[in-house]
Amino acid sequence: MSVAAKIETLRRTLGGRLTIMGHHYQHQSVINHTDLRGDSLELARKTAGVTSDFIVFCGVFFMAESAALLARPGQTVCIPDPSADCSMALMAPATRVRRMLELLGTNGRKIIPLAYVNSSLEVKAVVGEYGGAVCTSANAKTMLRWAMEQGDAVLFLPDKCLGANTAKLLGVPEEAIMALDIRADGKHIDLAEADKAKLLLWPGHCCIHTRFTLEQMAAMRAAHPGARIVVHPESLPAIVDAADAAGSTSFIIDYVAKAKAGETIVIGTEVNLVKRLAVEHAGRVTVLPLLETECSHMARTTEENLLELLESIAAGKPLHVVQPDTALFAPAKAALERMLTVCA
Ligand code: 13P
Ligand code: SF4
């Protein structure tokens, strides 16, 4: 029997006891086995409605952690490969985030941290403790507006690109934005300058989305006259400015769905999603990647490790259970729930 057939057999055996969730960047061979799909915001929202005993999360670790925070008591959340991290999330270690918040608040300013969901549970806990919230690419504008109303300034982390792109949407003047130098415990930060800023940007980025260039865009426009380019807002601000549209993975899916027959849409995001859209819309819309770029972290989930995980669940010994630290659970959940409340 093939691996795919074995997975489907186990899904039938486990029935209503199991829900498999998957992010849009998962490989098609994995997506085929999912019950629920979505962008980060949709997956967080959908978790709340899941009633099965087991949630298997096909995505990166911070997504599974968010599911574990939002799961019901007694539910078990597992991930096929717990080493599926997100390099951007790793760019903001919790101890450093806390240190920067302490430093930036030295002169009594109220700094509200706004953490992109692509951050660790430890970071979300610090953010929750400081009265901040989580955001995703789908609601960053709403959440940044909210955060700016809560204190004197916002520390947006870890994605400087999403922070800058969102600030532009809200019309935050450039002189009110400061890029933070987090090296050497913040000793290079000019506190007098920082005190004038309304938005402080953590220097993190996504290695996949910052590969897009203006030259690639120009080459695509030259090769495909009339094509529209849509990118994910983790892309560099110059790329977002030069694109026809920018938005979360679900926004991109919707953008292609709404394209007219015969159109060409060039997409700047992780290639597994682009390939899926190309297949789904073949014959109606031409879908092309701006650049073929795969997230190696997302790719850690495979049919093989998904099968191994389902076998362990069926045997009553679930592997790779995501168990948030009890001390961090409440503040991290508070940060996540603030987002769900503001964006209800
Ligand atoms: P979305 O929330 O838009 O799905 O993005 C998640 C992500 O990791 C993008 O790199
Ligand atoms: Fe993280 Fe970038 Fe991969 Fe998204 S695409 S999970 S931000 S490394």
Side-chain angles (χ1 to χ4, degrees):
M1 212 196 288
S2 69
V3 174
K6 284 182 188 166
I7 292 173
E8 287 309 303
T9 304
L10 280 166
R11 283 182 75 197
R12 279 193 296 278
T13 308
L14 289 162
R17 295 181 61 216
L18 171 73
T19 303
I20 304 184
M21 303 180 77
H23 184 263
H24 294 310
Y25 291 164
Q26 291 292 296
H27 193 270
Q28 188 59 42
S29 58
V30 173
I31 281 289
N32 289 339
H33 303 295
T34 52
D35 299 295
L36 300 172
R37 275 149 280 207
D39 65 13
S40 309
L41 180 60
E42 290 165 340
L43 288 167
R45 281 189 175 136
K46 285 177 183 176
T47 304
V50 173
T51 55
S52 57
D53 299 337
F54 293 94
I55 297 175
V56 166
F57 204 101
C58 300
V60 283
F61 199 74
F62 74 79
M63 294 179 176
E65 277 183 331
S66 296
L69 286 175
L70 298 169
R72 298 172 187 214
Q75 275 179 329
T76 303
V77 177
C78 303
I79 182 163
D81 184 341
S83 73
D85 227 313
C86 160
S87 43
M88 180 203 284
L90 297 173
M91 291 175 191
T95 45
R96 204 172 277 206
V97 172
R98 184 182 289 284
R99 173 75 194 115
M100 290 305 135
L101 284 166
E102 283 166 4
L103 191 68
L104 295 165
T106 314
N107 297 333
R109 286 187 101 208
K110 189 174 177 194
I111 310 293
I112 302 295
L114 183 61
Y116 189 26
V117 70
N118 298 38
S119 53
S120 69
L121 185 103
E122 289 84 351
V123 165
K124 291 187 179 83
V126 174
V127 167
E129 208 185 293
Y130 273 78
V134 170
C135 73
T136 76
S137 61
N139 63 17
K141 188 176 165 194
T142 307
M143 291 310 299
L144 182 57
R145 190 189 293 118
W146 171 86
M148 292 186 93
E149 285 162 2
Q150 309 304 309
D152 300 311
V154 173
L155 170 60
F156 189 94
L157 70 149
D159 190 5
K160 64 175 182 198
C161 295
L162 181 64
N165 289 326
T166 310
K168 210 171 269 183
L169 292 178
L170 286 178
V172 180
E174 275 189 27
E175 52 284 9
I177 305 174
M178 180 174 163
L180 265 195
D181 186 340
I182 59 166
R183 293 171 304 161
D185 228 14
K187 81 166 187 214
H188 303 298
I189 297 174
D190 179 341
L191 268 187
E193 280 304 305
D195 280 354
K196 289 186 215 149
K198 287 275 170 219
L199 176 61
L200 299 137
L201 297 177
W202 194 271
H205 67 276
C206 167
C207 313
I208 285 84
H209 288 89
T210 48
R211 282 188 199 151
F212 303 128
T213 64
L214 291 172
E215 289 72 26
Q216 293 156 5
M217 293 174 93
M220 277 300 194
R221 289 204 195 274
H224 307 278
R228 286 190 287 153
I229 302 182
V230 57
V231 300
H232 194 279
E234 286 175 14
S235 307
L236 293 162
I239 301 300
V240 171
D241 290 349
D244 295 287
S248 77
T249 51
S250 289
F251 172 90
I252 293 171
I253 292 169
D254 199 44
Y255 192 83
V256 178
K258 286 181 180 151
K260 291 193 201 81
E263 267 200 279
T264 296
I265 307 289
V266 175
I267 304 180
T269 198
E270 208 273 348
V271 77
N272 278 298
L273 172 58
V274 185
K275 281 184 182 163
R276 185 171 312 122
L277 289 172
V279 171
E280 285 173 3
H281 295 277
R284 191 185 75 82
V285 174
T286 304
V287 175
L288 300 168
L290 180 54
L291 172 77
E292 287 217 11
T293 178
E294 185 183 58
C295 175
S296 56
H297 310 283
M298 287 281 180
R300 283 185 180 269
T301 303
T302 60
E303 277 189 309
E304 284 71 23
N305 54 33
L306 174 59
L307 173 61
E308 193 188 4
L309 176 55
L310 297 188
E311 283 171 343
S312 75
I313 291 173
K317 289 185 181 135
L319 288 168
H320 314 316
V321 175
V322 182
Q323 268 167 332
D325 185 305
T326 32
L328 303 177
F329 195 95
K333 187 168 177 168
L336 205 48
E337 282 187 333
R338 257 173 224 138
M339 168 185 85
L340 295 173
T341 307
V342 173
C343 298

